Amino acid sequence: MAKNLINIVSFTVLLVVLLMASTGIIKTEAQGVPCTAGCSPRAFLDECPAAHGTTDAICCSCCKSTYGSPPVCFAIIEGTDRHCHCYKQA
């Protein structure tokens, strides 16, 4: 009986984790911090490798110093590898 309960709990936890991963719920910094006033719609400009693995504010500063402001209007640390992505007005 206890073995069945452990199997059911393990399966349920696995199912919940897979569901969260497939829907993107696990991404912690999806909203990001607007770089200056932000922009909408926005398009990917480039990465700023010097700011990979840092914070959104450092990413914003890196993007603005590397590519200028404009064209940079938004920057965010994204993905599981925490890359700094710079965006421009679309």
Side-chain angles (χ1 to χ4, degrees):
M1 180 71 182
K3 197 172 188 181
N4 268 351
L5 183 61
I6 291 172
N7 286 339
I8 291 171
V9 170
S10 297
F11 179 75
T12 304
V13 169
L14 178 64
L15 187 63
V16 168
V17 169
L18 289 174
L19 178 68
M20 290 173 62
S22 67
T23 58
I25 292 173
I26 293 178
K27 293 182 181 176
T28 56
E29 295 189 49
Q31 281 75 35
V33 174
C35 197
T36 67
C39 55
S40 183
R42 57 184 168 252
F44 181 74
L45 175 63
D46 206 351
E47 291 186 344
C48 198
H52 286 353
T54 61
T55 65
D56 289 334
I58 293 171
C59 176
C60 179
S61 296
C62 181
C63 288
K64 286 196 294 187
S65 66
T66 304
Y67 304 108
S69 177
V72 173
C73 63
F74 186 80
I76 187 172
I77 298 291
E78 294 181 303
T80 55
D81 49 1
R82 301 193 45 80
H83 280 194
C84 173
H85 292 167
C86 310
Y87 292 87
K88 64 180 179 177
Q89 183 76 40

